[in-house]
Every structure is written in structure tokens, then in C-alpha cells.
Amino acid sequence: MLDIDHFKKINDTYGHLEGDRVLKKLGQLLISQSEKTDLVSRFVGEEFLIFRPNTNRDDMLLFCKKLHVLMADIVIGTISLKGSIGVSFFSERMTFDDVFTQADSALYNAKELGRNRTEIYSNN
């Protein structure tokens, strides 16, 4: 789960049309970086979901690191786009709701720890 950090500032400073352009650019970026088996979707507001089946922790962290770098190349006026990412992994007996809840928790953790970072869900 990816959420654009301080998206309200973009809308407030440059207007909602520019905010919409940013969302489209980010969506295009996510699709361009996805694999054939990935599912990329805008969820709500400035949040996106990326389902990447059959990946491991190290590969997912590399993918997220790459997204952070590429997002920073999207510049709106004086604002360089940044985002927080929360990651969860499916395991046996988990439902979609379980994975979603865990990714959401990891996303909030990323925001609490300073934003513009990736956190992986841990139940510790």
C-alpha cells in the first residue's frame, strides 16, 4: 500500500487539477514498474495498492526503494513527490482483509516514523 505524503499540500498549493495530474503520473509510474503478474490499483484518495505475487522480502524492499527514487523525479513546482509504503505478505489461512489490515498498519507505521519510507508489517 502506497500513500503520497502531504498530498493535501499539492492540492492546496497547485490546485486539484494539478493534484489529479500527479495521481495519473504516479499511476503510470507504478504500472511502468510493475511485472506482468502484478496488480496495480488506485485505492482511495492518494493511496495505491500493489499486489505482487510470489515475491520475497528482499525483492519487495528493492522494488519499494526503486519506487521512492522514481517518485522523487515527479516534481510539482517546488515539491518533489514522496510517499510512504506499507508491506504485508500473504501466508496460509490469511484473508485479503488480513493482508490489507497488515499493510495499512505498516503504512501508518511508515508515516509515524517520518514518512517517505517503507515499512513491512510485523506483529512484534
Side-chain angles (χ1 to χ4, degrees):
M1 182 178 291
L2 182 151
D3 184 66
I4 300 173
D5 292 334
H6 305 293
F7 185 70
K8 184 178 181 337
K9 183 176 179 180
I10 294 169
N11 278 337
D12 290 350
T13 304
Y14 299 102
H16 290 275
L17 288 177
E18 187 62 24
D20 287 345
R21 283 193 271 282
V22 168
L23 293 171
K24 289 176 186 174
K25 283 182 185 179
L26 180 56
Q28 291 167 347
L29 170 70
L30 296 176
I31 290 168
S32 76
Q33 297 304 309
S34 67
E35 297 177 352
K36 290 180 183 180
T37 57
D38 291 355
L39 174 63
V40 177
S41 175
R42 181 172 167 204
F43 181 56
V44 293
E46 66 275 8
E47 290 186 11
F48 291 81
L49 298 176
I50 305 163
F51 294 97
R52 178 163 274 203
N54 303 317
T55 192
N56 62 48
R57 178 185 172 93
D58 290 340
D59 289 344
M60 194 64 188
L61 285 173
L62 283 173
F63 174 67
C64 293
K65 183 176 182 177
K66 183 177 182 180
L67 290 180
H68 285 291
V69 170
L70 293 172
M71 283 178 66
D73 289 340
I74 299 174
V75 178
I76 310 91
T78 60
I79 300 171
S80 179
L81 197 62
K82 293 178 178 28
S84 297
I85 302 174
V87 176
S88 177
F89 292 96
F90 269 112
S91 63
E92 288 187 33
R93 299 186 188 136
M94 287 179 73
T95 66
F96 171 80
D97 287 346
D98 295 333
V99 174
F100 176 82
T101 299
Q102 289 180 359
D104 193 46
S105 176
L107 173 65
Y108 277 96
N109 194 31
K111 289 189 172 291
E112 288 175 6
L113 292 171
R115 302 181 189 259
N116 194 36
R117 60 185 293 138
T118 297
E119 288 296 319
I120 296 178
Y121 177 80
S122 173
N123 58 1
N124 296 335

